[in-house]
Structure formats: structure tokens, C-alpha cells
């Protein structure tokens, strides 16, 4: 009787162990690929799934997006410039069966092909294109990776260039080029401003030629501007030269008349002690 009990207990333990070994839990972001005696037996969805111990082999495949950094690659561009370029790739498994059967180590395979594709695509462009056409280069790398990984059941979601390292000599040359470009733009802007100012002055001169009174008003405005802050110097513009000469001749005649008739009081005139206002002819 005791032997029968022992056998029953052993059978019970074996059944419990087989039940434990046959239960598998597949997470929500996973798919289970079953191989029975080495042959494909189907795909299991997330949840609690039963397999045959020692007969079935379950391969869990994650369907989440995987971030894979692509280490820096030494690349020679089309214009013979040596640069170090690093990138990052985002991919996910869309066909679990192919990812298990078609390739052994999908992560290592994608990493290697991403490095070679990065060197190939970047090496076909010049340095200026690499710096300015980042989006197009990223798209080209993604398209090539998609073509290569479609047989593995993998979809490349995105490829982004992360960093680019230039030689120090090239950095200095680019800095000098950028400075020269800024100076060129500055000179162009100054020249455009001078051209517009000259055009505006030409239009103003045409208006003054058509209206002589406008020139006189401008002269008066200039005199008002020069007379601020208790300025004792009076500047007469060139168009008033004739008036100044007539005024000088008038003062000289008055002085001669005063010398001829000393009994008459002298007419007011410009002081000779230097204290009065100065006349500056321009």
C-alpha cells in the first residue's frame, strides 16, 4: 500500500512539474513563435499559453520600437574631407516568424548594416551637402536599410544623424569662410544703403531745382540747427555769398562816410574786438 502511495505522489509531482513547464506567459508587447520538433508551429498572441514540454520551443519576439545607436564612423566625403559621423536608428519587428527564422541575431545584423550604409551614403556627398542636406541623407539611409531588413521582418522607423566631427583645420577654415561671408553681406548692405541714399538725394535735388524756394528754406533750417547751444559762429551757405558781399560793401561805405563826417554818429557795424559773431563763408 505504501508503495502505491509513493508512486501516486511521484506521478502527481511529475504532472505538476509538467504543468508548470507547459505554462508560458507572453507579454502584451511580445509575440511567441513556436517551433515543434524544429518545425514552425505558429505564432502565439499575448496571454497565458500552453506548450508541450521537451517538444515545443517558444521564442519571444518584442514588437516595440528599439533604439539602436550607430557608433561613430570615419568617413571620407566626396570632396576628400575626413569626418566622423554617428547616428541613431529606430526599428521594430513587424513579422515575428521572419525575425526568428530568417536571421540569427537581428540586433547585431541591423547594427552592422546600419554602419556600412551610413559610410556608403555619407561618402557619396560633399561636406557642404552633409551639413545642409541632413534630412535627405537620413531619408536615403532609411530607404536602404528598409530594403535590406524587409526580408528579416523588420521595419526601420527612423534614422537620424546624431553628431559629426570635423578636423580642427577644417573648423578654422569654415570659421574664416563664415566671417568672410558676413563681411560680404555687410558690404553689400552698406552699398545698397548708399545707393538708396544717393537716389533719394537725386530726387530731392530735382525737387529743389524745380522749386528754388525749397533750397532757401533748407538753408534757413540748417542755420537754425547750427545756432543751438549758444553757438556764436554763424555759417552762411554758398548760395548766400552774393548777399554777404553786398552787406560787406554797405558796411564799408558807411565807415567811409563816418570818417568823412566825424560829427555824425557812426552807424552800427561789426565790432573789431572779436567779441561779436563771426562770419564764416562756405
Amino acid at each position: 500500500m505504501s508503495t502505491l502511495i509513493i508512486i501516486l505522489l511521484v506521478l502527481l509531482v511529475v504532472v505538476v512539474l509538467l504543468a508548470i513547464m507547459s505554462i508560458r506567459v507572453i507579454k502584451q508587447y511580445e509575440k511567441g513563435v513556436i517551433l515543434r520538433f524544429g518545425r514552425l508551429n505558429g505564432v502565439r498572441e499575448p496571454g497565458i499559453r500552453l506548450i508541450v514540454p521537451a517538444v515545443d520551443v517558444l521564442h519571444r519576439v518584442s514588437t516595440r520600437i528599439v533604439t539602436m545607436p550607430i557608433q561613430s564612423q570615419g568617413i571620407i566625403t566626396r570632396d576628400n574631407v575626413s569626418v566622423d559621423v554617428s547616428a541613431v536608428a529606430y526599428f521594430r519587428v513587424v513579422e515575428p516568424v521572419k525575425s526568428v527564422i530568417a536571421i540569427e541575431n537581428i540586433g547585431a545584423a541591423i547594427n552592422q548594416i546600419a554602419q556600412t550604409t551610413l559610410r556608403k551614403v555619407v561618402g557619396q556627398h560633399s561636406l557642404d551637402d552633409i551639413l545642409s542636406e541632413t534630412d535627405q541623407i537620413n531619408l536615403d539611409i532609411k530607404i536602404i536599410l528598409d530594403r535590406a531588413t524587409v526580408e528579416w521582418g523588420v521595419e526601420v522607423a527612423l534614422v537620424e544623424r546624431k553628431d559629426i566631427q570635423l578636423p580642427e583645420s577644417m573648423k578654422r577654415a569654415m570659421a574664416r569662410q563664415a566671417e568672410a561671408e558676413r563681411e560680404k553681406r555687410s558690404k553689400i548692405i552698406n552699398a545698397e544703403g548708399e545707393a538708396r541714399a544717393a537716389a533719394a538725394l537725386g530726387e530731392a535735388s530735382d525737387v529743389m531745382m524745380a522749386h528754388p524756394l525749397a533750397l532757401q528754406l533748407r538753408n534757413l533750417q540748417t542755420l537754425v540747427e547750427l545756432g543751438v547751444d549758444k553757438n556764436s559762429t554763424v555759417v552762411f551757405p554758398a548760395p548766400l555769398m552774393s548777399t554777404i558781399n553786398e552787406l560787406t560793401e554797405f558796411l564799408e561805405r558807411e565807415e567811409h562816410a563816418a570818417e568823412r563826417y566825424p560829427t555824425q554818429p557812426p552807424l552800427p557795424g561789426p565790432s573789431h574786438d572779436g567779441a561779436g559773431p563771426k562770419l564764416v563763408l562756405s
Side-chain angles (χ1 to χ4, degrees):
M1 188 68 180
S2 60
T3 304
L4 180 60
I5 295 175
I6 293 174
I7 293 174
L8 292 175
L9 290 176
V10 171
L11 290 176
L12 180 61
V13 171
V14 171
V15 170
V16 171
L17 290 176
L18 290 176
I20 294 175
M21 294 174 62
S22 63
I23 295 175
R24 294 290 185 272
V25 177
I26 302 176
K27 298 180 178 64
Q28 182 64 41
Y29 54 83
E30 293 178 337
K31 294 292 181 67
V33 178
I34 297 293
L35 298 179
R36 179 167 294 173
F37 294 113
R39 295 178 63 87
L40 178 65
N41 188 252
V43 179
R44 301 296 186 266
E45 296 297 327
I48 298 177
R49 297 291 179 259
L50 299 177
I51 64 172
V52 180
V55 175
D56 294 342
V57 177
L58 175 65
H59 294 272
R60 292 183 175 88
V61 179
S62 176
T63 58
R64 293 180 296 182
I65 294 179
V66 179
T67 303
M68 174 175 290
I70 304 174
Q71 63 182 0
S72 181
Q73 302 293 310
I75 304 171
I76 298 178
T77 63
R78 190 177 62 185
D79 50 352
N80 297 323
V81 178
S82 177
V83 295
D84 293 332
V85 181
S86 61
V88 58
Y90 301 86
F91 68 91
R92 64 187 182 94
V93 176
V94 293
E95 297 185 26
V97 175
K98 289 184 177 181
S99 67
V100 173
I101 297 176
I103 191 166
E104 180 180 358
N105 189 335
I106 189 171
I110 294 178
N111 187 18
Q112 293 299 319
I113 195 172
Q115 293 180 21
T116 57
T117 303
L118 178 63
R119 288 196 296 267
K120 176 182 178 181
V121 173
V122 174
Q124 295 175 351
H125 294 77
S126 63
L127 180 60
D128 292 337
D129 294 339
I130 294 173
L131 297 176
S132 60
E133 299 181 2
T134 302
D135 295 337
Q136 184 61 42
I137 294 176
N138 294 338
L139 182 60
D140 293 342
I141 297 174
K142 176 183 178 299
I143 292 174
I144 295 176
L145 288 178
D146 269 335
R147 293 173 182 171
T149 59
V150 66
E151 299 296 332
W152 306 339
V154 175
E155 178 187 16
V156 178
L158 183 65
V159 176
E160 288 291 339
R161 196 182 64 199
K162 185 167 60 175
D163 189 20
I164 178 170
Q165 296 292 333
L166 299 175
E168 293 297 329
S169 59
M170 182 59 62
K171 291 181 180 178
R172 291 192 294 268
M174 294 178 65
R176 291 193 298 269
Q177 179 182 0
E179 184 178 359
E181 185 69 22
R182 288 192 296 268
E183 291 180 357
K184 182 186 75 173
R185 289 198 298 266
S186 176
K187 291 180 179 178
I188 291 174
I189 293 173
N190 290 334
E192 290 178 352
E194 293 291 340
R196 293 181 181 179
L201 290 175
E203 294 177 359
S205 64
D206 293 339
V207 173
M208 290 182 178
M209 289 293 294
H211 304 280
L213 184 59
L215 180 60
Q216 298 297 329
L217 294 176
R218 181 59 183 169
N219 292 334
L220 294 177
Q221 182 180 0
T222 303
L223 293 177
V224 172
E225 293 174 356
L226 293 174
V228 298
D229 296 333
K230 299 180 181 180
N231 191 2
S232 61
T233 302
V234 179
V235 179
F236 290 93
L240 299 181
M241 287 294 296
S242 60
T243 304
I244 295 174
N245 292 332
E246 293 175 358
L247 179 60
T248 304
E249 293 176 358
F250 174 76
L251 294 177
E252 290 178 354
R253 288 197 301 270
E254 292 297 326
E255 288 180 358
H256 290 308
E259 292 176 356
R260 183 178 300 177
Y261 305 102
T263 56
Q264 296 179 357
L267 295 176
S271 58
H272 299 281
D273 56 357
K278 303 175 184 178
L279 296 179
V280 179
L281 305 182
S282 61

